[in-house]
Amino acid sequence: RWKTAAQLLTLLRGLGNELHDVGGYREPAIGNMVRRVMFIVRDEADNFPSGGAVGGGDAETKSMEKIDELSAQVSTKLRVSPSSTSAPGRGKELSLASMLWAHPQHVTMKHSRQQSGDASDRIRSDSFGSTDSGAINVTSSNSFGCDPAATQIYPPHYYMQWDKLRENVMEAIEEVRGELKDLHKNINDQATQHIHNGEIILTYAFSSTVEWFLKTAAAKKRNFQVIVCEGAPHFGGHAMAKSLAEAGIDTTVIHDAAIFAIMARVNKVLLPAHAVLANGGLVAPSGCNIVALAAKQNSVPVVAVAGMFKLCPLYPHEGQDTLNDLISPSSVVDYSLMGDPVLSEVEFVNPVHDYITPQLIDLYVTNIGGFQPSYIYRLLAEYYHSDDW
């Protein structure tokens, strides 16, 4: 059982990386919630009361011994002697640049979904035990803000025991659970602020969040029309249109090829979200990018509906490949046609998601309010700690 914030953060970091390695990268919300809990632990540890350590002076002495060990490890990592870090006139080898770039979040890392052979031997209990010596050896991937070859070092008070730490963390987690439970209700309460009488709303494929958002607006006596793009090749728009029509909403299904032609008649576009990136970009179902581009060309506002648990502290360094995956092209072309000499030379790409740049999004409607893409960076600081990215 963990006793300090450092031990708990080690367990959470190991759990997050394991979930990421076994396929969590396909569902970024998993990693987001782990980072959210880690932020809670850090916040509670930073509120550690002075003199509240369990064990009195002995615990404080042991903690200070751990700090000395950490200083020695940092000095070794920076290739300077411990004495040179404390002597004012002998710190020439320890520069501001070396200290900055030695921080885990600035170390160059390889972004790969393939797990190395050494990483397969990683056990969370090994990392957990390493906190007893004041350092946490992380050998997993870098998904949670740590270089595999680096030693994660926490502030001194993270290694002290505090009786109320477990209780406070559990209370904060219960608050997050309550927030998730009321997530759709808080989003739907804003429906009448964004949907008005007589409007024509266009949406793409199927999304339960967008579906409930539209149904709530209709239940509050808003008369509007919805145009649903069918979302080939999975045709989720058909199920979406059927559900909205059963709720009494005037609904029309169109082919994806007719998006640009119909956009001139649309008043607003509602898009679902798979993930909201740190730069304000949106990862949405494949095909949403052409909808956003057509809306931009016709000066139609684009509104993305998403819960805050989809906010990812990641940047789209890989462009359209960010948080994306390729699936079998069998839903696009029949394998029986591949015998044709022309088709056999064609490379079929069937991505699951599209990346939409923040310039194409006008507003994010979340469970805590509406925000422009330029404000997303501020929300990151309120939900995640920079060391956990």
Side-chain angles (χ1 to χ4, degrees), residues 183-198:
L183 183 141
H184 289 290
K185 176 182 179 299
N186 294 333
I187 292 177
N188 296 338
D189 288 343
Q190 306 172 58
T192 54
Q193 301 176 21
H194 303 282
I195 298 178
H196 309 284
N197 287 325

Side-chain angles (χ1 to χ4, degrees), residues 40 75 81 94 182 234 260 329:
I40 291 173
S75 301
S81 62
L94 184 61
D182 298 334
H234 306 292
F260 192 87

Side-chain angles (χ1 to χ4, degrees), residues 263-264 266-269 292 294-302 360 362:
M263 190 60 70
V266 173
N267 299 110
K268 191 180 281 86
V269 173
K296 184 70 173 180
Q297 183 68 24
N298 290 272
S299 300
V300 176
V302 177
L360 300 179
D362 293 283

Side-chain angles (χ1 to χ4, degrees), residues 10-20 34 122 124 144:
T10 304
L11 290 175
L12 291 172
R13 189 182 298 275
L15 175 63
N17 281 302
E18 286 183 4
L19 292 173
H20 182 273
V34 175
R122 168 179 42 79
R124 287 203 302 271
F144 289 81

Side-chain angles (χ1 to χ4, degrees), residues 108-129:
T108 303
M109 299 172 288
K110 295 182 179 180
H111 293 267
S112 173
R113 296 175 184 172
Q114 300 296 329
Q115 190 175 11
S116 62
D118 295 338
S120 62
D121 299 330
R122 168 179 42 79
I123 302 177
R124 287 203 302 271
S125 59
D126 295 341
S127 298
F128 177 75

Side-chain angles (χ1 to χ4, degrees), residues 1-15 17-18 41 66 121-140 152 154 158-161 165-166:
R1 293 168 63 96
W2 58 271
K3 298 180 180 180
T4 65
Q7 292 176 340
L8 179 55
L9 287 172
T10 304
L11 290 175
L12 291 172
R13 189 182 298 275
L15 175 63
N17 281 302
E18 286 183 4
V41 175
K66 295 175 183 178
D121 299 330
R122 168 179 42 79
I123 302 177
R124 287 203 302 271
S125 59
D126 295 341
S127 298
F128 177 75
S130 64
T131 58
D132 295 336
S133 63
I136 301 174
N137 297 322
V138 181
T139 57
S140 58
Q152 180 67 19
Y154 297 111
Y158 280 42
Y159 299 97
M160 297 181 181
Q161 297 184 26
L165 177 61
R166 186 184 301 272

